[in-house]
Amino acid sequence: MERQKLIIFSFSFFLLSLLAGNQNVEAAAASSRHQGLYGFHPTKLFVFGDSYADTGNNRKTVANSWKVPYGITFPGKPAGRFSDGRVLTDYLAKFLGLKSPVPYRWRKFAASRLRYGINFAYGGTGVFDTLVLDPNMTTQIDFFRQLVDDSVYMKRDLQSSLALVTLAGNDYGAYLARGGSIQDITSFMSRVIDQLSSNLRRIHGLGVRKVAVTSLQPLGCLPRSTVMNSFQQCNETENTAADYHNLLLREAVAKLNNESKDSAFIILDLYGSFTRALKNRGDILGSVKLETPLKPCCIGVSHEYSCGSVNGKGEKMYTVCAKPESAFFWDMVHPTQAGWRAVYLALKSTLQQLR
């Protein structure tokens, strides 16, 4: 199964169960708020997560991110990013005044860049094991812990560091693909959030001063969902499911901050920033206006193919739009560089709290 097809949502049958009995979550969400992070100037960025943050960890023989036409905008050829160009990691690093941290797999070939941090994110992964063989979040943190144990990073380094944690729903796709029941999905969501919370606590416990975790984006607005109506409108049932995950996440982060003396945890609202960027067609703070926001720029010629696919003769079985800079989505799951820039601009006010 290709990575772009990992997120498999069909929540129509359990919408009511998502909303039942969660008044306590709503209350916690209302009380959760960003604490005083001003005056903090990160000098290193450590990244954990999936394809929304991966900048080259996936194996070249497996991932579409290493196939043409990925990377055509930046750096001009495939480089392991699931986009035509830059992704969330790159924009956050730029905001902090840092170079994008080197992917973990390439750390031995770019030792001089270790001073900016390391990117442990692998496309297709999740909090738990998913449908790919790459390291889940727990293993990614194990890699980080080993580097700390080996004194690659000292305690003083971590005191001026920020962690980015971003997971885009692969756990839920894997759950359903393995035959998980609709009736038990809310229970599984709680398990995901509980493990994610433990992972966030562990990253902070290793010495990282601040930890930023993304909410789930509006899953019903991904082209893999909107293709059913010719990319005209989002699936609100799937968006409600993502919103429920985000309510649980806000509850967990509020609890972590109550336990933390320095309010070390902050949520980056991908749901809200995606929604705002799509609603405004990317026109945020004077950025480039995006055309057909729900339609992907790179798409297979039929449902059998996806962006980057070739047939047995090596012929490309996909099309690419004329102006990627005017598209929000690159493929069926991932934003373009322009899309990520619009999301970044929508997140700007929150990001101010990271330094």
Side-chain angles (χ1 to χ4, degrees), residues 85-305:
R86 295 171 178 84
V87 296
L88 181 61
T89 298
D90 303 302
Y91 281 104
L92 179 56
K94 181 179 179 181
F95 175 81
L96 298 174
L98 305 174
K99 289 188 177 181
S100 197
V102 64
Y104 176 73
R105 286 187 66 235
W106 304 102
R107 66 194 183 283
K108 295 180 180 178
F109 302 97
S112 63
R113 286 181 55 189
L114 294 182
R115 66 181 182 274
Y116 301 112
I118 288 186
N119 187 340
F120 300 94
Y122 282 76
T125 62
V127 174
F128 301 117
D129 289 339
T130 57
L131 302 181
V132 301
L133 299 177
D134 293 304
N136 65 21
M137 188 179 173
T138 296
T139 304
Q140 292 175 27
I141 300 172
D142 288 343
F143 294 158
F144 177 50
R145 179 189 56 77
Q146 190 61 56
L147 294 178
V148 174
D149 289 347
D150 292 342
S151 298
V152 174
Y153 295 105
M154 310 299 287
K155 184 172 292 187
R156 63 178 178 273
D157 297 320
L158 302 181
Q159 274 300 303
S160 61
S161 69
L162 170 72
L164 169 66
V165 176
T166 178
L167 297 148
N170 294 323
D171 286 289
Y172 301 127
Y175 170 81
L176 294 173
R178 289 170 176 152
S181 71
I182 295 298
Q183 291 75 16
D184 294 335
I185 191 71
T186 53
S187 175
F188 180 69
M189 283 184 166
S190 295
R191 286 178 52 206
V192 169
I193 293 297
D194 287 346
Q195 184 60 49
L196 177 57
S197 180
S198 295
N199 290 344
L200 296 175
R201 185 183 291 110
R202 185 181 173 206
I203 292 171
H204 182 55
L206 285 169
V208 175
R209 184 172 173 186
K210 301 294 179 185
V211 182
V213 58
T214 61
S215 64
L216 269 184
Q217 74 280 25
L219 296 169
C221 295
L222 300 183
R224 65 163 298 113
S225 295
T226 63
V227 65
M228 301 302 292
N229 56 53
S230 301
F231 310 112
Q232 294 302 306
Q233 63 184 38
C234 301
N235 182 315
E236 292 306 321
T237 304
E238 294 183 11
N239 284 350
T240 299
D243 196 43
Y244 178 77
H245 167 102
N246 293 336
L247 289 175
L248 294 179
L249 177 64
R250 285 194 288 270
E251 180 185 46
V253 168
K255 182 178 179 181
L256 287 171
N257 277 327
N258 286 335
E259 297 171 358
S260 165
K261 294 180 180 179
D262 53 357
S263 298
F265 305 91
I266 187 170
I267 293 176
L268 299 183
D269 184 15
L270 281 195
Y271 190 100
S273 56
F274 265 61
T275 300
R276 182 181 172 195
L278 290 169
K279 181 179 180 180
N280 295 323
R281 294 179 176 266
D283 190 9
I284 297 174
L285 301 180
S287 64
V288 176
K289 193 163 187 176
L290 308 177
E291 302 169 3
T292 56
L294 296 180
K295 185 178 181 180
C297 175
C298 184
I299 189 171
V301 297
S302 71
H303 70 276
E304 301 173 39
Y305 301 100

Side-chain angles (χ1 to χ4, degrees), residues 3 50-60 63-67 70-71 74-75 77-83 85 87 90 103 105-106 119 121-123:
R3 293 167 195 271
D50 57 19
S51 57
Y52 273 27
D54 186 4
T55 55
N57 276 317
N58 282 126
R59 291 161 291 170
K60 290 185 177 182
N64 277 5
S65 56
W66 289 102
K67 297 177 182 178
Y70 287 79
F74 173 84
K77 61 181 181 180
R81 289 172 173 82
F82 288 81
S83 179
V87 296
D90 303 302
R105 286 187 66 235
W106 304 102
N119 187 340
Y122 282 76

